[in-house]
Amino acid sequence: MKPAIEIDNIDKFYGDFHVLKGVSLTVAAGEKVVVCGPSGSGKSTLIRCINRLEDHQAGRIVVNGVELGDDLRNLDAVRRDAGMVFQHFNLFPHLTVLENCVLPQILSRRTPRAEAEAAAETFLKRVRILDQAPKFPGQLSGGQKQRVAIARALCMRPRIMLFDEPTSALDPEMIREVLDVMVELADDGMTMVVVTHEMGFARKVADRVVYMEAGGIVETAAPDQFFDAPEDERTRRFLSSIRTMIH
């Protein structure tokens, strides 16, 4: 079986700033990978390169057998396969919760409205927020908005879910409701790449944890190895700085 994601020696620059330095990572179908590291390490840039929200200048990225390049048809195929959930929700404030989930299906997949509404209701129910369907995003809490964002991504029937620090903009009491939904997705076998500082989530859900620093991957390991016996001093230093978040 082909990997879900193949990242081969990619480089990314912002002007003269070398953000990603020869990064390589392979994610198997059904695998859950958590990417962590200090601010500015390149982890969010890496995940945004996977569906071409950011361009890479060298190396290759292949998603479900489709290489990301300049062919827009390939890009559309990859974005249909790889759903994205952002730190700041990115919901349309002038649309109801239901319409936020319906409209992308109609515009991107040409889904008939009745079918799109049925899918939206199914996934809003799955993330336990169907009762908020008639409301507008401004009437919701942060945790509710993020669950709507997850439902919207699921409506596109992705085979891969990418999460870019999905809880970092939330109040502490709202983080759990979003993480619970993500745990359920993981339990269902969804391929996931998650950039997060939620180390408890990483220990519970991840098949592998990737530590990044200064634009490169420092260490990759299964959770028990990563948290209990990391090999690299930089990883140990990072874990020491956030130790209270792990247990």
Side-chain angles (χ1 to χ4, degrees):
M1 182 182 295
K2 289 184 178 179
I5 302 170
E6 299 172 84
I7 301 170
D8 181 21
N9 200 34
I10 67 165
D11 285 293
K12 165 69 181 174
F13 291 86
Y14 290 125
D16 293 330
F17 181 47
H18 201 175
V19 186
L20 297 175
K21 305 171 183 176
V23 172
S24 295
L25 179 68
T26 299
V27 180
E31 189 176 20
K32 274 66 71 177
V33 174
V34 167
V35 183
C36 61
S39 297
S41 59
K43 54 192 188 296
S44 287
T45 301
L46 175 64
I47 202 172
R48 291 171 67 89
C49 284
I50 293 173
N51 64 354
R52 202 66 185 276
L53 291 175
E54 298 283 357
D55 293 336
H56 57 285
Q57 280 76 49
R60 297 171 66 249
I61 298 177
V62 181
V63 179
N64 285 329
V66 178
E67 182 168 357
L68 273 176
D70 294 328
D71 190 325
L72 292 180
R73 290 170 299 180
N74 284 1
L75 178 58
D76 287 343
V78 166
R79 287 183 174 167
R80 283 194 298 268
D81 262 358
M84 185 88 177
V85 176
F86 301 89
Q87 178 178 350
H88 292 293
F89 326 127
N90 288 14
L91 300 176
F92 292 110
H94 63 290
L95 298 179
T96 65
V97 164
L98 185 69
E99 281 297 304
N100 264 282
C101 294
V102 166
L103 194 60
Q105 299 178 71
I106 294 174
L107 295 179
S108 180
R109 288 189 173 273
R110 302 292 186 264
T111 306
R113 173 166 283 277
E115 184 181 331
E117 288 183 356
E121 290 175 358
T122 295
F123 289 111
L124 287 170
K125 183 177 181 180
R126 181 173 180 181
V127 301
R128 300 185 293 278
I129 203 165
L130 180 58
D131 59 321
Q132 305 297 319
K135 293 185 178 179
F136 291 89
Q139 297 173 281
L140 305 183
S141 70
Q144 289 173 325
K145 290 176 187 176
Q146 195 59 290
R147 283 188 283 153
V148 172
I150 293 171
R152 177 184 59 184
L154 292 174
C155 282
M156 304 302 288
R157 304 299 203 282
R159 290 193 280 173
I160 299 165
M161 285 287 283
L162 309 172
F163 293 88
D164 186 10
E165 302 202 29
T167 61
S168 63
L170 302 179
D171 294 330
E173 65 271 17
M174 298 174 186
I175 290 173
R176 175 53 50 194
E177 62 188 67
V178 173
L179 292 180
D180 285 347
V181 169
M182 293 170 64
V183 169
E184 290 177 11
L185 288 178
D187 288 344
D188 286 347
M190 175 72 75
T191 305
M192 297 169 64
V193 182
V194 184
V195 173
T196 185
H197 291 292
E198 297 293 335
M199 295 296 98
F201 172 84
R203 186 186 276 275
K204 180 176 181 179
V205 170
D207 296 302
R208 282 187 296 152
V209 183
V210 175
Y211 176 65
M212 291 187 67
E213 188 173 300
I217 292 177
V218 172
E219 186 162 353
T220 304
D224 287 349
Q225 167 74 28
F226 183 86
F227 291 114
D228 298 334
E231 295 181 355
D232 195 282
E233 173 59 31
R234 290 168 291 179
T235 309
R236 291 194 290 271
R237 189 166 56 243
F238 172 75
L239 290 175
S240 178
S241 71
I242 60 168
R243 184 62 64 182
T244 58
M245 298 171 61
I246 298 173
H247 299 292

